[in-house]
Amino acid sequence: MHAYYYDNVSADQRLPHDSGLPVELDYLRKLGLTLSTVPLDTEGGWEPLVDKIANEHGWDNRDTMDVTKEGLGDHFEQMLDKFFTEHMHNDAEIRYILSGSGYWDIREYPTDQWIRVRVLPGDFIIIPAGIYHRFTLDEHNQVKALRFTTGELQYSSTARGSETDASPFRDQYLDSIKEVTVGA
Ligand code: KMT
Ligand code: NI
């Protein structure tokens, strides 16, 4: 996994859009992300390690998101548009990449710059509730990821706008990064 500032060039979202300015993963952690890698070829298998992380966090539910043309059928383009529309969630977005690759774009606060995070198989990413972000596939056009939740599995997102700006989940997020952004 690695990250860099997005170049803001208007071209296919699936291209790297690398501005050449790298971003440290520790900086993204300060912005509230949890980032780690559990290699798929870990000795003894990745499953016990991933199970342990899930248990520690109390995630009692999981499923596989198959973000491929075959997996999503007629909804493929529609779902991709939805993922790439800037949004936030009221719950954390927790994903473990099983195959394929893609990019999450994370909004830096308060600059509103996009930071692009490249994900590959074995990458584990937790995007906190209330942070603005979007997701795209790359040119290979496929990703399969485990999705974890506590309680019921359901997908709900809200596009950035006056409603999300006023959301208590957004407030909580901004509060959680105050230490980092004060004086920024
Ligand atoms: C989201 O909300 O941004 C997503 O779930 C992206 C797809 S997960 C591979
Ligand atoms: Ni999301």
Side-chain angles (χ1 to χ4, degrees), residues 87 89 93 133 155:
H87 63 271
H89 309 278
E93 180 169 325
H133 66 279
Y155 185 83

Short mmCIF file of all heavy atoms in Angstrom, two decimals, residues 87 89 93 133 155, ligand 2:
data_model
loop_
_atom_site.label_atom_id
_atom_site.label_comp_id
_atom_site.label_asym_id
_atom_site.label_seq_id
_atom_site.Cartn_x
_atom_site.Cartn_y
_atom_site.Cartn_z
N HIS A 87 -18.23 10.78 -0.82
CA HIS A 87 -19.25 10.43 0.17
C HIS A 87 -18.63 10.17 1.54
O HIS A 87 -17.41 10.16 1.69
CB HIS A 87 -20.02 9.18 -0.29
CG HIS A 87 -19.17 7.94 -0.40
ND1 HIS A 87 -18.49 7.59 -1.55
CD2 HIS A 87 -18.89 6.96 0.49
CE1 HIS A 87 -17.84 6.45 -1.37
NE2 HIS A 87 -18.05 6.05 -0.12
N HIS A 89 -19.70 7.74 5.35
CA HIS A 89 -20.59 6.74 5.96
C HIS A 89 -20.75 7.05 7.44
O HIS A 89 -19.90 7.70 8.04
CB HIS A 89 -20.02 5.33 5.83
CG HIS A 89 -19.61 4.96 4.44
ND1 HIS A 89 -20.51 4.52 3.49
CD2 HIS A 89 -18.40 4.95 3.83
CE1 HIS A 89 -19.86 4.26 2.37
NE2 HIS A 89 -18.58 4.52 2.54
N GLU A 93 -15.66 2.06 7.17
CA GLU A 93 -15.58 1.21 5.98
C GLU A 93 -14.35 0.33 6.18
O GLU A 93 -13.23 0.83 6.21
CB GLU A 93 -15.45 2.11 4.76
CG GLU A 93 -15.36 1.39 3.44
CD GLU A 93 -15.50 2.40 2.27
OE1 GLU A 93 -16.25 3.38 2.39
OE2 GLU A 93 -14.83 2.18 1.26
N HIS A 133 -14.50 10.56 1.18
CA HIS A 133 -13.64 9.70 0.36
C HIS A 133 -14.39 9.22 -0.87
O HIS A 133 -15.60 9.47 -1.01
CB HIS A 133 -13.17 8.49 1.19
CG HIS A 133 -14.28 7.57 1.56
ND1 HIS A 133 -15.12 7.80 2.62
CD2 HIS A 133 -14.75 6.43 0.97
CE1 HIS A 133 -16.02 6.85 2.68
NE2 HIS A 133 -15.83 5.99 1.69
N TYR A 155 -25.11 -1.64 2.95
CA TYR A 155 -24.28 -0.56 2.40
C TYR A 155 -25.08 0.72 2.36
O TYR A 155 -26.12 0.80 1.72
CB TYR A 155 -23.79 -0.91 0.99
CG TYR A 155 -22.84 0.14 0.48
CD1 TYR A 155 -21.50 0.10 0.84
CD2 TYR A 155 -23.29 1.18 -0.30
CE1 TYR A 155 -20.62 1.08 0.41
CE2 TYR A 155 -22.42 2.17 -0.73
CZ TYR A 155 -21.09 2.11 -0.38
OH TYR A 155 -20.22 3.09 -0.80
NI NI B 2 -17.16 4.56 1.12
#
